[in-house]
Amino acid sequence: MTFIDNIRRAYRQSSMLMRIIAINIGVFLLLFIVARVAMMFGKDASGMLRWVAVPNGLGELLRRPWTVVTFMFTHFDLLPVLFNMLWLYWMGRIFMEFFSPKQLMGVYLLGGWVGMLLFLLVYNLIPGLAGASVNLSGASASILAIVVAIAVYTPDYKIGILFLGEISLKWIAVAVVAFIILGFDVSSPGGSIAHVGGILVGAWYAWRIRRGRDITRPLNAVLDAIVGLFNVSSWKLPKFTRRKKGASVAADTPQSPRRAETPADEVSEEELDIILGKIKVAGYDALTDEEKDKLFKASRRRTV
């Protein structure tokens, strides 16, 4: 159990980016091992695909609803998982310079889900494709959402590429979009159309975040609520203390030397990260009056 405990400890201490990469690699290794064992016993392992990938048929999807999550962490071949994880690591690190871990996971999930939605729409609305039996798997749409998001948010950010030197993120995004368009397969458009969904999510996220609106906030609120339900340590019963006879309510309530902050005065860490990221890219003058007021309140709260 020591080896397993070490893995758990390393996972808990790792960043959100490394957790996403670890899940993708772990799922790939598990499927790889199961497939090889099945082949040793003369079994066909291709049936595993239907249990973790999203089917294009709505009836099948209703019978396997968990695939709406598992598909975006699933790879069946070595080169796709290797390329995707390297791409996610490089661009994810840049993304984390400006945004929070929750926003990274939010963009990853939204990119995958919008890509899945377009995939389902294409195969269920276009008559020529309605009879096909196709599955969607892989993290490409989710990763493209992160790549395009950071490229649109800070287009002039430069990264060094071997043999090419420093290149701005905007040109990398242009090259990626061009590659998707040129590689579009009309006869089997599932993967390509899912990529388009990821690109749209990334562009929409960056455009909204520049205007002070985070499209991942509702999703992260739901995820926090779900995690809270499974967090047994947070299930605490209220403690009732017996009040001494003659004691006043004021005596039981400690008085703070400063005015208690109202909810309107509080600035979340997520909002503060967005404001600081905006200052880093465009400078203090680019902030709106509301953002300047929030920054002032946050600085006052930390210095009191």
Side-chain angles (χ1 to χ4, degrees):
M1 292 296 291
T2 304
F3 177 72
I4 297 178
D5 291 339
N6 289 336
I7 293 178
R8 290 176 178 174
R9 188 180 302 108
Y11 178 82
R12 294 193 189 102
Q13 295 176 350
S14 62
S15 65
M16 180 63 73
L17 174 62
M18 296 308 299
R19 289 183 182 184
I20 296 174
I21 294 175
I23 293 173
N24 276 276
I25 295 177
V27 171
F28 168 76
L29 292 176
L30 178 62
L31 294 175
F32 180 84
I33 293 172
V34 172
R36 294 303 179 272
V37 172
M39 291 174 61
M40 290 173 59
F41 289 92
K43 303 294 184 179
D44 184 10
S46 60
M48 292 189 305
L49 179 66
R50 60 195 297 264
W51 295 105
V52 289
V54 168
N56 65 318
L58 297 180
E60 293 181 70
L61 180 60
L62 290 176
R63 290 192 294 270
R64 296 189 293 275
W66 60 85
T67 58
V68 301
V69 175
T70 58
F71 86 95
M72 68 181 82
F73 297 96
T74 299
H75 300 82
F76 294 94
D77 297 308
L78 178 60
L79 287 181
V81 69
L82 179 62
F83 178 80
N84 277 344
M85 293 306 102
L86 287 174
W87 194 234
L88 175 60
Y89 177 74
W90 292 329
M91 303 306 293
R93 289 183 62 186
I94 301 174
F95 186 96
M96 292 292 290
E97 291 184 20
F98 299 92
F99 303 111
S100 68
K102 287 186 177 181
Q103 289 169 312
L104 176 74
M105 176 57 83
V107 173
Y108 185 94
L109 293 175
L110 288 176
W113 282 331
V114 172
M116 178 196 70
L117 179 61
L118 292 182
F119 165 80
L120 293 174
L121 289 175
V122 165
Y123 276 97
N124 286 276
L125 296 181
I126 297 180
L129 299 173
S133 179
V134 184
N135 295 289
L136 177 67
S137 64
S140 298
S142 300
I143 296 171
L144 281 172
I146 293 173
V147 172
V148 174
I150 194 61
V152 174
Y153 183 76
T154 173
D156 295 322
Y157 188 105
K158 296 183 183 297
I159 61 174
I161 298 181
L162 187 64
F163 303 125
L164 297 178
E166 291 191 343
I167 298 180
S168 299
L169 288 181
K170 60 185 176 184
W171 298 120
I172 294 178
V174 169
V176 169
V177 173
F179 180 79
I180 297 299
I181 295 174
L182 293 175
F184 196 92
D185 187 357
V186 180
S187 62
S188 181
S192 297
I193 200 67
H195 294 164
V196 173
I199 291 171
L200 293 176
V201 168
W204 177 248
Y205 173 80
W207 185 76
R208 293 297 293 166
I209 207 75
R210 279 185 168 273
R211 286 155 180 77
R213 297 291 182 269
D214 182 5
I215 65 173
T216 67
R217 184 176 298 174
L219 172 60
N220 282 320
V222 173
L223 294 178
D224 287 341
I226 295 174
V227 171
L229 290 176
F230 292 94
N231 186 7
V232 181
S233 61
S234 64
W235 298 352
K236 297 180 180 180
L237 295 175
K239 294 182 180 180
F240 298 94
T241 56
R242 189 174 181 180
R243 188 182 303 280
K244 293 181 180 180
K245 187 176 181 180
S248 63
V249 176
D252 293 339
T253 307
Q255 297 295 324
S256 174
R258 61 186 179 90
R259 180 182 62 87
E261 291 182 340
T262 64
D265 292 331
E266 296 178 357
V267 181
S268 67
E269 292 295 330
E270 183 178 337
E271 291 177 313
L272 185 58
D273 289 341
I274 294 173
I275 294 172
L276 294 176
K278 190 172 181 180
I279 293 175
K280 187 173 182 180
V281 174
Y284 179 80
D285 293 335
L287 299 180
T288 63
D289 292 338
E290 181 183 359
E291 290 170 335
K292 292 179 180 178
D293 184 54
K294 289 182 178 180
L295 183 61
F296 172 74
K297 290 177 180 178
S299 62
R300 182 182 60 181
R301 183 183 63 189
R302 295 192 175 193
T303 54
V304 171

